[in-house]
PDB file of all heavy atoms in Angstrom:
ATOM      1  N   THR A 308       0.991   3.128  -4.743  1.00 98.00           N
ATOM      2  CA  THR A 308       0.454   4.305  -4.066  1.00 98.00           C
ATOM      3  C   THR A 308      -0.910   4.653  -4.674  1.00 98.00           C
ATOM      4  O   THR A 308      -1.062   4.656  -5.887  1.00 98.00           O
ATOM      5  CB  THR A 308       1.445   5.472  -4.187  1.00 98.00           C
ATOM      6  OG1 THR A 308       2.133   5.391  -5.440  1.00 98.00           O
ATOM      7  CG2 THR A 308       2.508   5.361  -3.109  1.00 98.00           C
ATOM      8  N   GLN A 309      -1.880   4.923  -3.798  1.00 99.00           N
ATOM      9  CA  GLN A 309      -3.266   5.001  -4.263  1.00 99.00           C
ATOM     10  C   GLN A 309      -3.466   6.075  -5.324  1.00 99.00           C
ATOM     11  O   GLN A 309      -3.031   7.206  -5.168  1.00 99.00           O
ATOM     12  CB  GLN A 309      -4.214   5.245  -3.072  1.00 99.00           C
ATOM     13  CG  GLN A 309      -5.689   5.142  -3.429  1.00 99.00           C
ATOM     14  CD  GLN A 309      -6.557   4.853  -2.238  1.00 99.00           C
ATOM     15  OE1 GLN A 309      -6.269   3.937  -1.469  1.00 99.00           O
ATOM     16  NE2 GLN A 309      -7.625   5.601  -2.045  1.00 99.00           N
ATOM     17  N   THR A 310      -4.148   5.699  -6.347  1.00 99.00           N
ATOM     18  CA  THR A 310      -4.433   6.481  -7.563  1.00 99.00           C
ATOM     19  C   THR A 310      -3.208   6.670  -8.463  1.00 99.00           C
ATOM     20  O   THR A 310      -3.349   6.876  -9.653  1.00 99.00           O
ATOM     21  CB  THR A 310      -5.035   7.895  -7.301  1.00 99.00           C
ATOM     22  OG1 THR A 310      -4.046   8.736  -6.693  1.00 99.00           O
ATOM     23  CG2 THR A 310      -6.282   7.843  -6.454  1.00 99.00           C
ATOM     24  N   ARG A 311      -2.003   6.625  -7.887  1.00 98.00           N
ATOM     25  CA  ARG A 311      -0.825   7.040  -8.652  1.00 98.00           C
ATOM     26  C   ARG A 311       0.407   6.218  -8.289  1.00 98.00           C
ATOM     27  O   ARG A 311       1.235   6.634  -7.470  1.00 98.00           O
ATOM     28  CB  ARG A 311      -0.577   8.526  -8.369  1.00 98.00           C
ATOM     29  CG  ARG A 311       0.389   9.189  -9.332  1.00 98.00           C
ATOM     30  CD  ARG A 311       0.214  10.694  -9.337  1.00 98.00           C
ATOM     31  NE  ARG A 311      -1.065  11.040  -9.926  1.00 98.00           N
ATOM     32  CZ  ARG A 311      -2.104  11.560  -9.287  1.00 98.00           C
ATOM     33  NH1 ARG A 311      -2.032  11.843  -8.012  1.00 98.00           N
ATOM     34  NH2 ARG A 311      -3.227  11.794  -9.920  1.00 98.00           N
ATOM     35  N   PRO A 312       0.541   5.032  -8.879  1.00 98.00           N
ATOM     36  CA  PRO A 312       1.695   4.186  -8.547  1.00 98.00           C
ATOM     37  C   PRO A 312       3.035   4.883  -8.750  1.00 98.00           C
ATOM     38  O   PRO A 312       3.172   5.783  -9.588  1.00 98.00           O
ATOM     39  CB  PRO A 312       1.531   2.996  -9.495  1.00 98.00           C
ATOM     40  CG  PRO A 312       0.056   2.892  -9.717  1.00 98.00           C
ATOM     41  CD  PRO A 312      -0.421   4.328  -9.759  1.00 98.00           C
ATOM     42  N   LEU A 313       3.972   4.436  -7.946  1.00 98.00           N
ATOM     43  CA  LEU A 313       5.290   5.050  -7.876  1.00 98.00           C
ATOM     44  C   LEU A 313       6.330   4.036  -8.348  1.00 98.00           C
ATOM     45  O   LEU A 313       6.369   2.902  -7.854  1.00 98.00           O
ATOM     46  CB  LEU A 313       5.527   5.429  -6.408  1.00 98.00           C
ATOM     47  CG  LEU A 313       6.879   5.935  -5.948  1.00 98.00           C
ATOM     48  CD1 LEU A 313       7.279   7.197  -6.706  1.00 98.00           C
ATOM     49  CD2 LEU A 313       6.824   6.229  -4.444  1.00 98.00           C
ATOM     50  N   TYR A 314       7.163   4.445  -9.319  1.00 98.00           N
ATOM     51  CA  TYR A 314       8.191   3.559  -9.876  1.00 98.00           C
ATOM     52  C   TYR A 314       9.548   4.188  -9.624  1.00 98.00           C
ATOM     53  O   TYR A 314       9.700   5.405  -9.713  1.00 98.00           O
ATOM     54  CB  TYR A 314       7.964   3.375 -11.385  1.00 98.00           C
ATOM     55  CG  TYR A 314       6.571   2.892 -11.721  1.00 98.00           C
ATOM     56  CD1 TYR A 314       5.554   3.796 -12.037  1.00 98.00           C
ATOM     57  CD2 TYR A 314       6.258   1.534 -11.675  1.00 98.00           C
ATOM     58  CE1 TYR A 314       4.274   3.367 -12.309  1.00 98.00           C
ATOM     59  CE2 TYR A 314       4.970   1.086 -11.942  1.00 98.00           C
ATOM     60  CZ  TYR A 314       3.976   2.013 -12.267  1.00 98.00           C
ATOM     61  OH  TYR A 314       2.700   1.578 -12.519  1.00 98.00           O
ATOM     62  N   ASP A 315      10.546   3.354  -9.376  1.00 98.00           N
ATOM     63  CA  ASP A 315      11.879   3.908  -9.117  1.00 98.00           C
ATOM     64  C   ASP A 315      12.643   4.141 -10.406  1.00 98.00           C
ATOM     65  O   ASP A 315      13.726   4.718 -10.402  1.00 98.00           O
ATOM     66  CB  ASP A 315      12.665   3.010  -8.154  1.00 98.00           C
ATOM     67  CG  ASP A 315      13.113   1.710  -8.789  1.00 98.00           C
ATOM     68  OD1 ASP A 315      12.503   1.286  -9.805  1.00 98.00           O
ATOM     69  OD2 ASP A 315      14.072   1.112  -8.274  1.00 98.00           O
ATOM     70  N   SER A 316      12.086   3.674 -11.533  1.00 98.00           N
ATOM     71  CA  SER A 316      12.657   3.904 -12.860  1.00 98.00           C
ATOM     72  C   SER A 316      11.546   3.585 -13.847  1.00 98.00           C
ATOM     73  O   SER A 316      10.473   3.127 -13.442  1.00 98.00           O
ATOM     74  CB  SER A 316      13.861   2.986 -13.087  1.00 98.00           C
ATOM     75  OG  SER A 316      13.450   1.640 -12.985  1.00 98.00           O
TER      76      SER A 316
END
Side-chain angles (χ1 to χ4, degrees):
T308 33
Q309 188 158 311
T310 69
R311 194 159 292 111
L313 172 59
Y314 306 94
D315 72 338
S316 60

